[in-house]
Amino acid sequence: MGNILYTLLTRKWPFEGLSEKKAKKKVETGERPPVLQNILSSNVTETKVLLQAMNMCWKQDPKERATSRQVQNYLNKELEKLNIKNSEDGKPTGAKKGRA
């Protein structure tokens, strides 16, 4: 899930250009793909939320790493703060006025 969030934020695949074997070795040693400083220092709420969710997935210790359910609950809570509600079927029903 963290890789999907990374791709949404950066529009790149994690460790792009490396073989799967080399990328796996980097992850196993605790390394994560780079995130540009302009993304890390963004003041855009949605970007901050996606960064937090990504970092929840990227904890090295599995005991500290969030489950998919925990990430889902976090994202739902943040969507509610932005006044973006989900209908019973899980589809977004709208966003706060002024947001694209």
Side-chain angles (χ1 to χ4, degrees):
M1 183 180 284
N3 287 341
I4 293 168
L5 295 164
Y6 177 87
T7 302
L8 288 171
L9 285 163
T10 66
R11 297 182 181 166
K12 294 182 180 183
W13 191 246
F15 299 115
E16 200 167 73
L18 289 183
S19 69
E20 186 176 333
K21 184 178 180 179
K22 287 181 181 179
K24 182 179 178 183
K25 188 169 186 104
K26 285 183 176 283
V27 170
E28 288 171 347
T29 61
E31 190 173 335
R32 298 296 182 255
V35 179
L36 293 174
Q37 187 58 42
N38 67 323
I39 296 171
L40 292 172
S41 61
S42 175
N43 288 323
V44 176
T45 301
E46 294 84 348
T47 300
K48 290 179 178 182
V49 168
L50 290 175
L51 277 169
Q52 176 62 27
M54 180 183 74
N55 287 323
M56 291 168 68
C57 298
W58 280 1
K59 298 280 186 185
Q60 189 67 17
D61 183 347
K63 294 175 189 166
E64 295 179 18
R65 192 177 309 136
T67 64
S68 295
R69 177 71 64 197
Q70 289 169 321
V71 174
Q72 178 189 17
N73 290 339
Y74 169 74
L75 291 172
N76 283 336
K77 181 182 82 173
E78 295 302 317
L79 286 172
E80 284 183 25
K81 287 181 187 176
L82 294 169
N83 199 28
I84 300 172
K85 308 287 184 197
N86 285 325
S87 62
E88 287 184 36
D89 62 4
K91 295 179 183 175
T93 59
K96 191 183 280 188
K97 288 184 180 181
R99 294 196 181 270

